[in-house]
Amino acid sequence: MNFEHSYDVIVAGAGVAGVAAALTCARAGLSTALVEKTVMTGGLATTGLVNHYLPLCDGHGHQVIHGIAEELLHLSIKYGPGTVPAAWAKPDGGEASAEPASRKQRYATPFSPASFTLALDEVLLEAGVTLWLDTLVCATVLEGRRLTGIEVENKSGRGFLGAHCTIDATGDADLAYRAGAPCVTGENWLSLWAIQTSLARARRVSDDPDAASLLEMVYVGGNANGHGHPEGHPTYDGTKGDEVTQFLLEGRRLLREHYAARYRSDEEANRHHLFPVTLPAMAQFRTTRRIAGLEIMSSDSPHSHVETSVAVVPDWRKPGPVWEVPYGALIPAGVAGLLAAGRCISADREAWEVTRVIPPAALTGEVAGIAATLAVEQRTTPERLSVSEVQLAVQAKHLPLHAADVVPHV
Ligand SMILES: Cc1cc2nc3c(=O)[nH]c(=O)nc-3n(C[C@H](O)[C@H](O)[C@H](O)COP(=O)(O)OP(=O)(O)OC[C@H]3O[C@@H](n4cnc5c(N)ncnc54)[C@H](O)[C@@H]3O)c2cc1C
């Protein structure tokens, strides 16, 4: 090995889930490393050019998600555009506005991905997290069933990072899979989101109060429901190297076709007037691989009471449903010392669709951080913790455990 370090907790993947997990552990006083293969913090929310922080509320005026996920929403607009709807604004981070939360205006905001990264870097460093950027996790190290560390590759060569507890926030369950835990793969349509600019748009928005109007998202290929996926084109699970390369190249081919068609159909548009300015620097897969955990968050269970729940999440797709996340959905089967967070937790079909977006990903990151902290403090592993103890620690952070805690009539 070219280098070796050890920590209380290692978090793999600096998407919103990994950031929330690392902040939680570092703020609890644990030595915490956050390892990220790209050069950016934020994952799909920044490097992947996703620019809308979906709702923290249920769409009927009840705030469902609190904690670091809410803190990150505000950080997403700290150095850039985006506004929290007045009904949800909390001056100085204190009490909610006196104005009742509107049913229609959800607690969400658009943001600039680059601005979000600036704020994430800052808050992680303030919390004392050790960042390893441009560092790929390439192997897991086990003693029996117990994960004791990871091997990484970066400019220094190959290194070993050891930890008492590790959190897989890679979005793709890379660590759990490599450690031999059972996993489930998803299905993705061919799609690409990019940011473009055009003279026509600049003229149209020149009097707008906010320069965000200058940025224009361009979408090609399938949407979240697959509408727009090219006919006859295969779908992707996103877990094989050659397939990921094909997804990226095919997405960019669609973008070339999109501009060629625009230039043909619009006399005003040519390469001088309209062109892409930023392409995503990570593959924009929604659901690739997730753990098959000790428990599965079921698709049939919006509004049902889950005894082992450690988190409550709203449904970004429609107002109303509120879902509970069982603790076992964060624990890979067959591996000790490892937790999952974000879009690779154990959630079935519709539940995966609900939990894969930014606010639930950040929330499960925080909960994984809470469980990792308990495991380190008790010199045990997350799967051996008692669920009621994890629930107490979650409640101590003022995070709701059950739907009834946030929606009175449930
Ligand atoms: C096209 C598209 C549109 C979307 N639109 C929205 C939207 O409008 N609003 C919304 O809220 N959500 C949206 N989402 C979903 C959302 O952005 C993500 O699902 C969410 O941000 C996931 O966060 P995460 O931290 O779980 O995973 P990710 O953001 O995927 O983060 C995982 C991180 O781990 C790193 N990593 C992976 N493997 C390794 C490794 N081996 N070693 C080191 N690092 C590794 C990655 O580089 C990445 O930074 C969208 C997703 C897509 C694809």
Side-chain angles (χ1 to χ4, degrees), residues 185-346:
T185 49
E187 186 178 37
N188 295 271
W189 318 103
L190 178 64
S191 72
L192 184 131
W193 291 19
I195 299 175
Q196 67 180 14
T197 191
S198 70
L199 278 178
R201 188 177 184 91
R203 287 193 194 103
R204 213 167 44 242
V205 304
S206 60
D207 289 332
D208 278 16
D210 198 329
S213 324
L214 288 168
L215 303 178
E216 188 179 359
M217 294 303 291
V218 51
Y219 310 101
V220 292
N223 66 9
N225 299 319
H227 182 71
H229 177 78
E231 212 179 312
H233 196 88
T235 57
Y236 301 81
D237 70 33
T239 63
K240 294 177 268 313
D242 54 350
E243 206 197 46
V244 174
T245 304
Q246 195 193 354
F247 176 87
L248 292 165
L249 291 175
E250 286 293 305
R252 301 208 279 260
R253 179 183 60 76
L254 285 189
L255 197 60
R256 283 196 297 276
E257 286 176 0
H258 164 82
Y259 285 112
R262 282 293 305 273
Y263 298 161
R264 274 198 306 275
S265 66
D266 182 350
E267 276 180 20
E268 289 274 292
N270 63 37
R271 67 188 171 83
H272 299 289
H273 298 159
L274 167 75
F275 54 87
V277 285
T278 313
L279 298 177
M282 67 183 277
Q284 293 164 320
F285 290 120
R286 291 177 167 88
T287 50
T288 50
R289 180 169 54 212
R290 63 165 178 82
I291 61 162
L294 294 186
E295 288 177 276
I296 298 181
M297 181 180 164
S298 160
S299 278
D300 310 322
S301 64
H303 286 308
S304 2
H305 180 86
V306 175
E307 202 55 42
T308 55
S309 174
V310 285
V312 190
V313 297
D315 195 325
W316 61 274
R317 303 165 302 175
K318 55 181 177 230
V322 174
W323 304 63
E324 300 188 5
V325 183
Y327 179 52
L330 275 55
I331 313 232
V335 180
L338 181 64
L339 286 148
R343 68 182 168 95
C344 58
I345 66 166
S346 180

Side-chain angles (χ1 to χ4, degrees), residues 12-18 35-38 40-45 47-48 50-54 135-138 169-172 174-175 178 191 193 282-286 341-344 356-359 361:
V16 288
V35 184
E36 167 57 43
K37 71 176 175 177
T38 71
M40 304 269 279
T41 50
L44 277 169
T47 319
V50 168
N51 68 340
H52 196 91
Y53 209 108
L54 283 170
T135 300
L136 176 75
V137 179
C138 46
T170 60
D172 305 325
D174 277 7
L175 269 68
R178 282 167 187 256
S191 72
W193 291 19
M282 67 183 277
Q284 293 164 320
F285 290 120
R286 291 177 167 88
R343 68 182 168 95
C344 58
R356 72 172 175 82
V357 297
I358 296 173

Side-chain angles (χ1 to χ4, degrees), residues 74-150:
H74 290 274
L75 286 176
S76 74
I77 57 175
K78 183 174 179 185
Y79 293 118
T83 310
V84 172
W88 295 105
K90 296 178 184 175
D92 308 324
E95 290 300 301
S97 146
E99 190 185 337
S102 144
R103 280 174 167 265
K104 291 219 171 86
Q105 270 197 314
R106 295 190 75 172
Y107 191 175
T109 182
F111 61 88
S112 147
S115 305
F116 194 14
T117 290
L118 296 183
L120 291 178
D121 289 356
E122 184 177 51
V123 74
L124 286 162
L125 293 173
E126 275 168 10
V129 173
T130 302
L131 277 160
W132 287 90
L133 296 178
D134 200 20
T135 300
L136 176 75
V137 179
C138 46
T140 49
V141 179
L142 292 134
E143 281 174 17
R145 286 180 53 241
R146 169 84 190 262
L147 186 72
T148 53
I150 54 174

